[in-house]
Amino acid sequence: MNRFFHEIKEAVAGHGHSCTCDGCMEEHHDHHHHGFDRVMIVRLAVAAALFLAGVILEGSHLTASLVLFILSVLCAGYDIFISAVSNLFSRRLFDESLLMSIVAIAAILIGEAEEGASVMILFQLGELFQGYAVARVRQNIEGLMENRSPQTTEVLAEVRSNKSEKGQTEEFITKFCRVYTPVVLGIAAAVAVVLPLFFHQTFLEGIYKALVIMVIACPCAIVISVPLSYFAGIGGATRRGILFKNTGAMDAVSRTLSVVFDKSGVLDSGALKVSSIKCEKMDASVFLRIAAHACAYSTSPHAESIKAAYPGVIYIELIEAFEETAGQGITVVVNGVSIVLGSAEFVCAHNIDPGEDISGEDAVYLGIDGRYTGRMQFSSAAKPDAQGTITVLRWDSNKELALLTEDSPAATEIFARQIGIGRYYAGCGLSDKVAVVRDMETRCRKGTLLFVGDPERDKACLEAADIGVALRGADSDAAIQAADVVIMDDSPSKVITAIEAARHTRSIVWQNIGFALAFKLIILILDVFGACPLWLAVFADVGVALLAVLNSLRAFRIR
């Protein structure tokens, strides 16, 4: 369990998330585990007091005012400067600490010390709230995991023991961030040179505009919010009894186009159900009443399903003789009438010939007073939420659905029609199922194929599919090893919940990305037209990062 918490902490804090600002969060989270950083609060209070004093003296004592502004910068951001120097030796050239240090120092050098102080105070204030928000998310997820049952916690620890794999979205963001910061810094350098040379502005004005661009050069809102959103989503799904193995699995599930179900134990309950009655010279309801009385004393699965299908009362006093041959059939006398009920071989052994009515399906044959009367066919009863699950998935973007089973074609057709699934593959052995899964994967290149199966019997299919989803994962170590998603109970409807949770999380990720980039673009445009002071750029940048963190919390709440 410790390793799982460690991975969440690293991902949420931004550690190990490869991008152009690798260390942008490392120095800001050491004191946020239980609330606001009290030391930082005191530092910011002192820095704000020095800043206000500098503003008051600015009109009459310029030197004293400049000293107060510099002291304010140092008080609020001395750790930023230390981190910037350290990162230079670590060759992290595009770290946020370095960018903010350059902005503050350059503002002082061009005569905008007041701006430099306000920039550092606002930046650190934003980091304070941002770190607190991240810590709260982390505590919520950890608290959720610690409150799960010991069995669930053990499964979860095993699921998380593998190294977290990134999904396509995270990989895209990683590559994007490697390009984004150098490009923005290039734009800043160009602005500093081009504006004075070609647009009749001073070099100080060009440098000032370049500093504003540098403020928005670090994509921290994106870097923080992407892994945070995914792990909040994983935490929310866990609360619903669905365990994603890693963020890559959640990202892949959000792009599901095909879902393949195994039948046994996944969509059916394993209990037999009378699926059809074929009888001669009597009504089906009379046939069922006779069969139910014949089975009165039997506890076999077929007998229990016959009695369950009969809506009337079974009169035990009518039964005069009863004899059962286990696994074969029953002979009984009911109110003076001799009845034979059982397999084709059993009734034939009692001189009752079904003739051409013998079926290759799971069937029970009935004879009355030495004459063949009819048969009943059986199928496995669908789980209560099986039909609803198929209906929702079928209407959800026209997903391709398929059913795999070892059952005969006729029995499979009856079951498939019962739950509303159009494509099915009957008589499948394990190798046949794997072949079907791989064949469907080749037709599902633009999305993800989910295979939903039993963790014990379908391990090969779970491993072969793009994403393997194991039901009843709480009872199986095999599910932990083979599946990408583990559903703790046996409800197939949780597949819908898993897809919705993954989509919800991915939409929040892209909301944060779009929101952050849009704001940065607005600041860039305002800066070019001279309508964006440094303090506003910092306020907007840290504000966007904080809003992105808070928006990420929504992934914890699955609709």
Side-chain angles (χ1 to χ4, degrees):
M1 202 60 198
N2 290 336
R3 178 165 182 169
F4 173 56
F5 287 158
H6 178 67
E7 287 184 5
I8 287 184
K9 289 176 182 177
E10 282 193 340
V12 172
H15 297 180
H17 187 91
S18 176
C19 74
T20 55
C21 46
D22 294 324
C24 66
M25 291 298 296
E26 290 179 4
E27 66 272 23
H28 302 300
H29 292 280
D30 294 335
H31 307 288
H32 296 311
H33 299 296
H34 303 290
F36 287 107
D37 184 350
R38 295 180 180 178
V39 174
M40 179 58 71
I41 292 175
V42 172
R43 285 173 51 192
L44 289 176
V46 173
L50 292 170
F51 176 80
L52 289 175
V55 172
I56 293 171
L57 296 176
E58 193 171 15
S60 56
H61 299 81
L62 289 178
T63 302
S65 176
L66 176 61
V67 171
L68 288 171
F69 286 140
I70 293 174
L71 289 175
S72 177
V73 170
L74 292 174
C75 182
Y78 71 85
D79 55 334
I80 299 295
F81 294 119
I82 294 173
S83 177
V85 173
S86 174
N87 290 335
L88 277 175
F89 286 105
S90 301
R91 296 183 180 180
R92 289 190 290 214
L93 301 180
F94 301 124
D95 174 73
E96 188 179 42
S97 299
L98 179 60
L99 296 176
M100 294 309 302
S101 298
I102 293 173
V103 169
I105 294 172
I108 295 172
L109 292 178
I110 65 174
E112 300 288 347
E114 181 180 352
E115 293 264 31
S118 64
V119 161
M120 193 59 72
I121 292 172
L122 284 173
F123 174 74
Q124 289 286 53
L125 185 63
E127 291 293 286
L128 180 70
F129 281 99
Q130 186 174 286
Y132 175 73
V134 169
R136 287 299 301 269
V137 176
R138 199 163 60 200
Q139 288 174 5
N140 285 340
I141 296 175
E142 290 178 0
L144 170 68
M145 305 312 174
E146 290 170 348
N147 290 331
R148 302 294 294 183
S149 67
Q151 184 182 41
T152 303
T153 301
E154 182 180 352
V155 172
L156 187 58
E158 290 294 330
V159 170
R160 298 297 310 161
S161 65
N162 294 327
K163 183 178 180 181
S164 180
E165 297 178 5
K166 297 178 183 178
Q168 288 186 6
T169 304
E170 282 192 286
E171 291 290 351
F172 169 78
I173 294 304
T174 298
K175 295 175 182 178
F176 171 80
C177 289
R178 288 174 182 159
V179 176
Y180 171 82
T181 301
V183 168
V184 175
L185 290 178
I187 294 174
V191 166
V193 175
V194 171
L195 289 183
L197 291 179
F198 299 101
F199 293 93
H200 308 292
Q201 295 190 18
T202 67
F203 276 101
L204 288 181
E205 289 175 328
I207 292 172
Y208 187 89
K209 293 181 184 297
L211 293 179
V212 173
I213 296 175
M214 288 182 67
V215 168
I216 65 172
C218 187
C220 288
I222 299 173
V223 172
I224 298 166
S225 66
V226 170
L228 179 60
S229 297
Y230 276 115
F231 277 92
I234 289 173
T238 302
R239 187 170 58 177
R240 300 288 292 272
I242 303 167
L243 309 181
F244 286 88
K245 201 169 214 178
N246 48 56
T247 60
M250 175 166 271
D251 189 61
V253 171
S254 71
R255 294 177 285 104
T256 298
L257 288 181
S258 299
V259 185
V260 180
F261 289 93
D262 186 56
K263 174 177 174 288
S264 301
V266 176
L267 292 177
D268 69 10
S269 61
L272 290 175
K273 177 181 178 181
V274 176
S275 58
S276 65
I277 296 176
K278 181 181 179 182
C279 52
E280 299 176 359
K281 298 179 181 179
M282 70 173 63
D283 186 76
S285 61
V286 176
F287 184 93
L288 182 59
R289 183 172 67 216
I290 294 172
H293 279 77
C295 295
Y297 290 119
S298 175
T299 58
S300 71
H302 289 86
E304 293 292 347
S305 65
I306 292 171
K307 288 184 286 185
Y310 177 57
V313 178
I314 296 176
Y315 298 97
I316 301 296
E317 63 272 14
L318 297 179
I319 300 172
E320 300 170 5
F322 178 88
E323 183 179 350
E324 181 174 15
T325 303
Q328 297 184 44
I330 297 167
T331 57
V332 61
V333 176
V334 180
N335 198 26
V337 178
S338 177
I339 299 172
V340 178
L341 181 74
S343 65
E345 293 81 5
F346 184 79
V347 296
C348 286
H350 288 77
N351 299 317
I352 295 173
D353 184 12
E356 296 181 356
D357 201 29
I358 294 179
S359 169
E361 315 304 328
D362 187 3
V364 166
Y365 301 85
L366 178 69
I368 300 176
D369 286 337
R371 292 182 299 176
Y372 176 67
T373 308
R375 64 178 166 86
M376 287 180 287
Q377 286 194 178
F378 298 83
S379 64
S380 298
K383 289 181 179 177
D385 59 343
Q387 183 177 5
T389 299
I390 297 301
T391 300
V392 171
L393 290 175
R394 189 174 63 243
W395 287 101
D396 179 17
S397 303
N398 293 318
K399 282 186 172 51
E400 184 179 21
L401 306 178
L403 173 68
L404 307 182
T405 178
E406 302 91 343
D407 295 351
S408 65
T412 303
E413 181 182 3
I414 293 171
F415 183 84
R417 190 164 54 244
Q418 178 187 352
I419 64 172
I421 194 167
R423 173 176 293 184
Y424 56 85
Y425 299 85
C428 293
L430 182 57
S431 60
D432 299 320
K433 292 180 180 180
V434 172
V436 170
V437 168
R438 288 177 175 166
D439 178 64
M440 290 187 65
E441 277 182 332
T442 61
R443 302 197 303 269
C444 189
R445 295 176 182 175
K446 294 183 179 180
T448 302
L449 180 139
L450 266 59
F451 175 83
V452 187
D454 180 273
E456 298 292 343
R457 295 182 295 101
D458 300 319
K459 184 176 180 181
C461 290
L462 290 170
E463 293 175 340
D466 292 332
I467 292 292
V469 181
L471 261 62
R472 297 183 293 109
D475 302 327
S476 172
D477 292 335
I480 303 166
Q481 301 298 326
D484 302 290
V485 181
V486 179
I487 295 175
M488 302 304 289
D489 57 26
D490 64 348
S491 302
S493 58
K494 289 288 183 69
V495 174
I496 300 173
T497 307
I499 295 173
E500 289 178 346
R503 284 178 174 174
H504 179 54
T505 300
R506 191 165 182 259
S507 70
I508 289 173
V509 167
W510 283 105
Q511 286 170 18
N512 287 338
I513 293 170
F515 182 64
L517 292 180
F519 251 76
K520 290 176 184 292
L521 180 60
I522 291 171
I523 294 298
L524 181 62
I525 294 172
L526 290 175
D527 181 47
V528 170
F529 290 97
C532 184
L534 266 176
W535 68 266
L536 179 59
V538 174
F539 184 80
D541 196 56
V542 298
V544 167
L546 182 59
L547 288 175
V549 168
L550 294 177
N551 190 44
S552 298
L553 294 176
R554 293 175 49 239
F556 195 71
R557 301 176 180 89
I558 301 174
R559 294 167 291 186

